[in-house]
Amino acid sequence: GDVLYRSSSDADIAQDAVITGTVTKLPAQSNFIYGIILTLANVVGFLGFVVAGLVVLWLARGVGSRATGAILTRPIRSLLAGIGIVIVFPLVVALLAITLVGIPIAIVLIALGVALFIVGAVPAVTALGNLVLFRRGGLFGAFLAGAVLWRLGIWLIPVVGGALFVLGLVWGIGGWVLGAFAARRGDPTPAALMPAAVVAGAEP
């Protein structure tokens, strides 16, 4: 009849063995359970990122829109700012941590670093969604579309997926920095985030 086995390697079947049915190989039990756990962790992580991103965009709409606009209008500057922050930030935390007075500040910066690791990629992801939706869907719609594409790229592309995660994180952090400065200066909402019809109607 049929042969159904579970193993991490192929079965060694004797040449004179007579199998009238089909031979089916299932993944090893440990690998199977690990795969389920990993899949659930990825799904939960993605949902957590989406919820955190929507919350931070709603709470900091001014900075978030300007951060996304900075990536769309000044991509190189945003990327360089993100690289600079990623390099300098750990050094500053380490220098503060070795001093008695700087330990409380270092703890605050570590908490900020954890928050940036969670939602740092939000502006970059929103900028991606904005381009895909052709400047339609608003800030939140662009974020949702970009989040799906970004995570699919991370999951489906074996080697490049890690690079996509780092690129989105670094680029997004740079966008947050430029967006914070733009909000402090009171710059208007970037035209790149507004529908083309609205921008055209506002032009004299």
Side-chain angles (χ1 to χ4, degrees):
D2 296 333
V3 175
L4 181 68
Y5 70 97
R6 186 185 298 276
S7 175
S8 58
S9 58
D10 293 334
D12 185 8
I13 302 176
Q15 294 183 355
D16 57 349
V18 179
I19 301 176
T20 59
T22 59
V23 179
T24 304
K25 172 188 173 183
L26 298 177
Q29 190 70 27
S30 59
N31 294 337
F32 179 72
I33 296 176
Y34 174 76
I36 293 178
I37 294 175
L38 184 61
T39 301
L40 290 176
N42 285 329
V43 172
V44 172
F46 171 70
L47 294 177
F49 173 73
V50 169
V51 173
L54 291 174
V55 170
V56 75
L57 284 177
W58 182 74
L59 293 177
R61 291 184 292 274
V63 178
S65 61
R66 289 166 176 82
T68 304
I71 294 176
L72 290 170
T73 58
R74 293 172 290 174
I76 303 301
R77 184 180 298 182
S78 302
L79 181 60
L80 292 177
I83 294 174
I85 293 297
V86 170
I87 294 175
V88 173
F89 189 84
L91 298 177
V92 173
V93 173
L95 291 175
L96 290 172
I98 62 177
T99 63
L100 184 61
V101 179
I103 291 178
I105 302 176
I107 295 175
V108 173
L109 289 179
I110 291 173
L112 177 61
V114 173
L116 282 177
F117 183 80
I118 297 174
V119 298
V122 169
V125 168
T126 308
L128 173 63
N130 182 266
L131 294 175
V132 171
L133 296 178
F134 300 101
R135 292 162 60 175
R136 297 176 182 175
L139 191 66
F140 299 100
F143 168 70
L144 291 175
V148 171
L149 292 176
W150 184 56
R151 285 291 179 167
L152 284 178
I154 294 173
W155 290 339
L156 301 179
I157 307 177
V159 178
V160 184
L164 287 177
F165 175 80
V166 174
L167 181 62
L169 182 63
V170 173
W171 218 329
I173 290 174
W176 280 121
V177 173
L178 297 185
F181 281 111
R184 184 177 180 83
R185 292 192 304 264
D187 294 347
T189 302
L193 289 178
M194 301 173 63
V198 175
V199 176
E203 294 177 354

